[in-house]
Amino acid sequence: MNEYMEFKGFSIKKLNYEIKNEKNQSGKKDTSVKFNIGYGVSEEIEELKKGHLLVSCYIDQFRENSKMEIEVTLEGMFDFPSNSTEEIEQFIKLNGTTILMPYVRNIVSMVSGYDSTKNHFLLPTINVQKLFQNEEF
């Protein structure tokens, strides 16, 4: 397989930011972050295949008297030279996710940073390869 793909861009498929007035029963600042990855390949012409990757991130963070929820779904578009669909799926899964994660991180930071209630959330840098090895996706 040719070891390259061309990133054609991304679009925001879903963006939700919500602050709920919910009392945190534990009294602790508690955060959960979940990711979901989906991908597929379509044949446009014999010499070129299009790869599509969906990366979703859901953040749920309890504060003292509120709960912040952020959900972001991005779709990345990639072009590949003609190779087997299976090879492309393996390539797009790791490399495509690695390309899109900084955009997810930036969107989460930017959207939560505009809220003057000090609910700013900075998603840490993520080692995508390690996450796939641990099957946390």
Side-chain angles (χ1 to χ4, degrees):
M1 173 178 178
N2 293 328
E3 298 288 326
Y4 74 91
M5 64 183 183
E6 184 180 351
F7 178 49
K8 302 304 279 186
F10 74 91
S11 63
I12 299 172
K13 294 297 182 183
K14 184 172 189 177
L15 177 58
N16 184 41
Y17 177 78
E18 189 171 359
I19 302 293
K20 297 179 178 179
N21 291 325
E22 291 184 22
K23 185 94 172 158
N24 186 355
Q25 300 300 328
S26 70
K28 298 178 184 175
K29 184 176 170 183
D30 187 26
T31 302
S32 83
V33 179
K34 297 175 186 163
F35 294 98
N36 187 24
I37 307 295
Y39 50 88
V41 178
S42 62
E43 294 185 35
E44 296 294 318
I45 54 175
E46 287 184 21
E47 300 84 35
L48 189 66
K49 292 189 179 183
K50 303 272 185 194
H52 299 273
L53 174 71
L54 287 175
V55 174
S56 295
C57 175
Y58 179 77
I59 299 164
D60 192 17
Q61 184 176 60
F62 279 99
R63 304 274 176 143
E64 287 181 25
N65 295 314
S66 66
K67 177 182 176 184
M68 177 188 68
E69 294 177 356
I70 301 175
E71 186 173 8
V72 177
T73 300
L74 301 182
E75 179 182 25
M77 287 77 70
F78 303 88
D79 283 349
F80 294 88
S82 184
N83 289 299
S84 77
T85 298
E86 186 177 308
E87 288 177 322
I88 292 172
E89 286 178 348
Q90 289 301 314
F91 200 66
I92 198 172
K93 179 180 171 183
L94 177 62
N95 295 325
T97 302
T98 301
I99 289 169
L100 288 181
M101 287 308 288
Y103 295 105
V104 171
R105 185 173 187 258
N106 187 40
I107 289 168
V108 167
S109 177
M110 184 179 64
V111 169
S112 66
Y114 279 117
D115 190 340
S116 64
T117 62
K118 299 184 182 176
N119 281 316
H120 183 254
F121 186 84
L122 181 60
L123 193 62
T125 303
I126 296 168
N127 182 338
V128 175
Q129 186 172 8
K130 186 175 180 180
L131 287 176
F132 277 121
Q133 287 173 348
N134 294 336
E135 297 182 23
E136 290 183 19
F137 278 96

